[in-house]
Amino acid sequence: MQLKMALAGNPNAGKTTLFNQLTGARQHVGNYPGITVDHKEGSLHHQGQKIIITDLPGTYSMTAYSAEELVARDYLVNTRPQVVINIVDASNLERNLYLTCQLLELGAPLVIALNMIDVAQARGMEIKADVLERHLRVPVVPIIARSGFGKEDLLKAALRVASEKEEWLPLDISYGEDLDIGIKELIARIDAASFMADTYVARYTAIKYLENDEQIVEKGREIDSRTAQALEEIVAGITAHTKTTLDVFPEAVIADHRYGYIKSLLRQGVITRKFDSDRLYTSDKIDKVLTNRLVGPAIMLLILFVLYKFTFGWSEAPVAWLEQGIGWLSGFVEKTLPDGLLKSMLISGIIEGVGGVLGFVPLIMFMFFGIAILEDSGYLARVAFMMDRIFRIFGLHGSSVMPFIVSGGIAGGCAVPGVMATRTLRSPKERMATLLTVPLMNCGAKLPVLALLIGAFFSENKARYMFLFTMLAWIVALLAAKLLRSTVLRGAPTPFVMELPPYRFPTMRGLLIHTWERTYQYIKKAGTVILGISVLLWAMMTYPGLPEEKSAEFAIQREAIATATAPEIVAESLAGSEELSEQAKIYNERIAEINNEEAEVALRNSIAGRIGIGLESLSQLAGFDWRTNIALVGGFAAKEVIVSTLGTAYSMGEVDTEEPMSLGQRLQKDAHWNKVVAVAALVFIMFYSPCFVTVVCIAKEASWKWAFFSMGFNTVFAFLMAVAVFQIGTMLNFG
Amino acid sequence: MVTIRLRNMTKNQKGTIKSIDVAGELGRRIREMGIVPGTEISVCGRAPLYDPVAVKVMEVILTLRNNEADHIFVTVD
């Protein structure tokens, strides 16, 4: 039989680390509150028993305001795991036990994993697990999740609890005379109507009514409006009473008593302090510098800039090697296979398409590695702290920094996890504004386009231009957020109360797993989605082929040139030797010109060409020709496709196939392209409709209405920007 | 011994939380993070634009905006 086990605990208590220790699952370990949003599952075998472990989102309490708290609570009451491991940070027991209290009140079968006892010891605290165990009447096992210490004991205790308990046995905490009487009254009503009895014990429902828990109050009204109304009336009476006698709401009384309960517990010999807790911990010392009011922001900018230098400087060589390798492969296929559709599909569809994306793997790997360091060390939370005042101006929240950065705030990243990361935001309005604007950031998929165009047109200052375009993405996204927050998403700001987790030295293993996971996702995307799209787009650019009379016309032209040239020259050209005579070269060039013209006519005639040309009259306003249009339409499927499609579109019309040029060089030489067009294209690509996957994600997180809104709004907005750049740039002759 | 608002505390100043005069979401968020009457609190610092404020409560550093800190009354020496 399978055993269901859930992991619950505060953010930063080491929950995900323990999860990895137990299951060996390869997943992200974050230092930032709320890194695990979806509950993740893993399994392990212990003493012949299969255990399914669910990693619940980290929460501070069981009142449901954020999506995460709801997920955690709903999972517990609906799935009813046989045992819940509550991981608590031993160095911060008092605060961590607040959630424990609520889990006990819910009646969940609990085992407490007392994590980071080493940290607590280093801080001069001695914690007696056995005393705590005796008072709470649940097993308490000291562990160190990072090293795996105590893991076996923990599993043993968990299995014991799972085998013992059948019924959930809630803990009763006294909330003072006034509330206790009220709770009794509520319980009587709840029991009489078996109100929500299948989900919660009566006492828990009563407490939640007193805490004014919106989700439960609302559910109550749906299930049984008469009882719900009666309960709400009783609560209103108690509230009036506590307001007049104590000048507080019942929920405050409840919280105070919970902490009172915890304090009295801890005073009974659970914690002994060996030395003064007032001394500065290393983490605080680091904060004295890194979040210093004057030096902090400067260091932050410096760190971000170093990340750029590191990513682009160090990845330059491996990117070049990969590009050479892909070029070689393409040349090899060119020489080995006979001309025809298969060869065309292999080179133009697969190698150029997928190769163009894979070529950027080193760059993305370096970037992810850098972000992983910032994330795992706890620095990102400081960035949120320092940036909140600025984000608030735009109607956002300091915590919006996280989704923004994940989506590409430090170029790289992806809007998909970014959109998902917005779940940590508590206010629906700030969350929606963040969710709709994060796709404007420069995600990892836009990076290749940026790198390509900047490399081709601004090669002298690559790092600086990348930095500039990243700043532009920030500015535009923030202004768009402000626009949304003052129009369709108007409303007051939500609380910022947030924890700054202590700095931790990231483990190499964690960083590598983290980097590899994200890079692998990128490679996998190249191997599946982008491979499919590349082939599809190749087909769209190839079919329908030229009508016979058209290709016959070109054949006649070639024939004419051949007959006009001496036969030995034609033979020399066909033999394809290395050293050609001057005349043979001229002959080859003329043939190539006709081939090129034919390819272009064929591309225009294809499905994609027709779409591209159809849009040209409009896109001309921004300086985009029909080939660019093809790439931009393809880019809706996935932004990586832009580079590969441009590659295909421009390699089809290539003049000299003997000496393959890089796409960048080809664009540089093309008459349609110049610096102004490049900037207009960059602006459009950065801000137009999010890719298909992101749109689906927005629909899932918000609604299809918002998903369509984001597609339409972004595209119109991006187009206007691109037109402005192109028109003004051309007028001022910057091209 | 005087009671002042958390906003008016200076850097490194210590005190004991006296009361919190806010209910609803903000009140709950404040309490669940350990900011409850009777607890010691000290100001660690402020963000570059003087807002939010970082405080230490129960061994943990928490951050609050100034307008949120206004609801927290602290008894200081």
Side-chain angles (χ1 to χ4, degrees), chain A residues 36-57:
Chain A
T36 37
V37 172
D38 262 326
H39 54 252
K40 284 182 182 155
E41 284 200 349
S43 66
L44 84 141
H45 289 268
H46 187 82
Q47 298 171 345
Q49 174 90 29
K50 188 175 184 195
I51 307 171
I52 305 286
I53 305 183
T54 303
D55 188 17
L56 298 176

Side-chain angles (χ1 to χ4, degrees), chain A residues 514-708:
Chain A
H514 193 150
T515 308
W516 171 243
E517 261 178 0
R518 290 181 179 180
T519 312
Y520 178 68
Q521 275 178 349
Y522 181 83
I523 296 173
K524 208 171 75 181
K525 211 166 154 193
T528 53
V529 181
I530 294 167
L531 175 66
I533 291 164
S534 289
V535 173
L536 179 76
L537 286 172
W538 167 84
M540 282 173 71
M541 281 190 260
T542 310
Y543 297 102
L546 279 181
E548 259 175 48
E549 66 268 23
K550 268 277 183 194
S551 32
E553 258 176 49
F554 284 106
I556 290 165
Q557 282 184 36
R558 272 191 294 261
E559 202 61 37
I561 294 170
T563 42
T565 320
E568 62 271 20
I569 303 279
V570 177
E572 189 193 341
S573 162
L574 283 177
S577 66
E578 295 284 312
E579 295 284 313
L580 285 180
S581 64
E582 214 37 52
Q583 283 158 303
K585 274 188 193 158
I586 293 170
Y587 170 75
N588 273 357
E589 259 168 41
R590 294 183 63 189
I591 292 288
E593 244 167 63
I594 292 171
N595 286 347
N596 183 30
E597 205 178 309
E598 181 177 7
E600 192 171 325
V601 174
L603 185 58
R604 280 174 163 274
N605 187 51
S606 68
I607 304 171
R610 288 174 202 194
I611 297 174
I613 291 164
L615 291 172
E616 203 171 33
S617 57
L618 189 67
S619 70
Q620 259 171 2
L621 291 172
F624 306 152
D625 70 342
W626 56 280
R627 294 184 213 206
T628 314
N629 289 348
I630 298 174
L632 293 177
V633 171
F636 170 64
K639 304 275 151 139
E640 294 97 326
V641 170
I642 296 172
V643 170
S644 56
T645 312
L646 274 177
T648 315
Y650 279 88
S651 77
M652 277 182 158
E654 197 181 333
V655 182
D656 192 352
T657 45
E658 291 294 310
E659 221 176 274
M661 272 194 289
S662 79
L663 177 58
Q665 287 167 319
R666 264 179 248 148
L667 291 180
Q668 258 174 325
K669 295 212 169 138
D670 196 275
H672 285 291
W673 284 86
N674 57 39
K675 283 188 179 179
V676 172
V677 177
V679 174
L682 278 175
V683 165
F684 186 76
I685 290 163
M686 277 164 69
F687 303 127
Y688 84 118
S689 168
C691 70
F692 182 67
V693 187
T694 308
V695 169
V696 172
C697 234
I698 295 176
K700 224 172 66 188
E701 295 293 319
S703 69
W704 274 106
K705 192 187 87 184
W706 284 114
F708 285 123

Side-chain angles (χ1 to χ4, degrees), chain A residues 60-61 63 65 69 91-92 94-95 98 123 211-212 249 251-252 255-256 259 263 273 277-278 281 284 293 297 385-386 388-390 392 397 426 493-500, chain B residues 11-12 14 20 23-39 44-54 56 58-65 67-68:
Chain A
Y60 295 105
S61 83
T63 40
Y65 323 87
E69 285 174 0
S91 65
N92 178 22
E94 199 169 340
R95 219 274 316 284
Y98 190 70
R123 290 187 174 193
E211 283 186 309
N212 197 17
F249 286 93
E251 53 185 85
D256 289 353
Y259 273 112
K263 276 193 180 121
R273 286 186 188 281
S277 72
D278 264 0
Y281 306 129
D284 299 344
R293 289 188 50 216
F385 170 64
M386 286 190 279
D388 179 69
R389 192 68 194 87
I390 295 167
R392 212 187 322 162
H397 187 279
R426 278 150 210 275
T494 31
F496 180 70
V497 193
M498 189 183 80
E499 185 179 346
L500 294 185
Chain B
K11 196 175 168 181
N12 296 328
K14 274 180 203 157
I20 296 138
E25 181 172 355
L26 177 59
R28 246 178 283 173
R29 289 288 292 147
I30 287 177
R31 287 183 198 102
E32 73 179 26
M33 299 295 269
I35 301 176
V36 283
T39 312
C44 299
R46 289 174 202 269
L49 297 168
Y50 214 69
D51 188 15
V53 55
K56 191 162 208 171
M58 296 184 187
E59 308 273 325
V60 180
I61 298 172
L62 303 176
T63 61
L64 297 131
R65 288 175 178 159
N67 57 7
E68 293 159 3

